[in-house]
Amino acid sequence: MGKILIAEDSDTELAFLNEILKETNHELTITRDGLEAEAAAKAGKFDLIILDVIMPGKNGFQVCRTLKKDPAFKDTPIILLTSKSENSDKFWGMKQGAEEYITKPYNPVDLLLAIRQHMGAN
């Protein structure tokens, strides 16, 4: 079991993520905006971070870039989970340091596989 930080401002999307992830037995920490996500990441030790891109405070691109510039997060995988589906968005997200870029709507299996890939078989 690992610790996952989730930054998502949509109640509907959070309910969907909780439903997908409840069987994994990972410990989930939920934040509702980019500033809260960044503060939570720096205050705790997480095995994986899932960031929405479009959210209040700081967007997911900004949070990803800030965290990846910090040596403490160089080995923490970040998954951007977003409705921004243009190739330029994906390019920009990966350039910020994300390990994965998954667009909404998404297949839950794709998210679970990405989590498993970056966290091990836990």
Side-chain angles (χ1 to χ4, degrees):
M1 182 171 105
K3 291 178 64 177
I4 300 175
L5 173 64
I6 299 172
E8 174 61 63
D9 62 326
S10 163
D11 290 335
T12 303
E13 188 62 33
L14 278 174
F16 187 51
L17 281 168
N18 274 319
E19 185 66 26
I20 293 167
L21 298 175
K22 72 180 179 183
E23 300 297 322
T24 67
N25 293 321
H26 294 302
E27 180 182 327
L28 306 179
T29 298
I30 307 298
T31 59
R32 306 292 297 207
D33 66 49
L35 294 172
E36 188 181 343
E38 194 174 298
K42 290 179 177 181
K45 172 69 176 131
F46 293 93
D47 300 300
L48 181 93
I49 299 171
I50 299 173
L51 300 173
D52 184 17
V53 171
I54 302 170
M55 57 185 169
K58 282 185 159 183
N59 68 45
F61 292 144
Q62 293 167 320
V63 175
C64 183
R65 181 175 54 242
T66 298
L67 293 177
K68 286 300 188 171
K69 283 183 179 180
D70 184 334
F73 294 95
K74 72 177 181 72
D75 294 326
T76 304
I78 295 177
I79 297 174
L80 292 173
L81 190 62
T82 179
S83 59
K84 294 181 70 62
S85 60
E86 296 294 322
N87 286 335
S88 58
D89 297 321
K90 183 173 184 173
F91 172 81
W92 188 247
M94 300 305 282
K95 189 167 176 59
Q96 303 317 301
E99 279 71 25
E100 297 282 342
Y101 192 98
I102 299 174
T103 56
K104 299 174 188 173
Y106 57 92
N107 182 332
V109 172
D110 293 336
L111 177 60
L112 290 170
L113 287 173
I115 290 169
R116 182 173 293 145
Q117 176 185 348
H118 294 290
M119 290 183 67
N122 295 342

